[in-house]
Amino acid sequence: MKILASLAAVLALAAAGSASAQEARIAWSDLDLSSAAGAAAFDARIEVAARRLCRDARSPGRLASDRAWCRASVRAEAIRLLPGRVQVDYALSRLPVVL
């Protein structure tokens, strides 16, 4: 099963101010990311990981919690870690269908 490598780089930033960085693994090989359903399932997995990882997140240079920034960072990093062709398939599946 293909699993995205750790999101440690983003999570180290997200955990700024906390004692330790966290790690997440998001499986994707069982999904067809070129389909809307597969991409939606992948998005749901990212969201689950982001909720867990971003509980006490702070953006760089801020003292207040910034979960929205953290979740966006986790999402961007998860997509960035997909192989190039899979990134393209995923992006194309997210486009609206125009008839």
Side-chain angles (χ1 to χ4, degrees):
M1 175 183 296
K2 294 180 183 174
I3 298 176
L4 294 177
S6 84
L7 303 174
V10 166
L11 303 178
L13 291 174
S18 73
S20 65
Q22 297 175 357
E23 182 175 299
R25 296 183 183 275
I26 303 169
W28 61 271
S29 67
D30 61 325
L31 302 173
D32 176 5
L33 296 185
S34 65
S35 73
F42 183 63
D43 289 341
R45 291 176 186 183
I46 292 172
E47 184 58 29
V48 167
R51 267 194 311 250
R52 182 176 57 83
L53 295 167
C54 297
R55 282 186 208 127
D56 298 318
R58 295 184 186 144
S59 59
R62 295 188 65 188
L63 296 177
S65 174
D66 194 349
R67 289 185 187 135
W69 170 85
C70 178
R71 285 180 173 180
S73 297
V74 169
R75 177 178 170 70
E77 182 69 359
I79 294 167
R80 186 191 70 77
L81 289 171
L82 290 170
R85 180 65 203 156
V86 178
Q87 285 182 26
V88 171
D89 289 343
Y90 172 80
L92 291 173
S93 72
R94 306 313 292 154
L95 294 175
V97 175
V98 179
L99 300 174

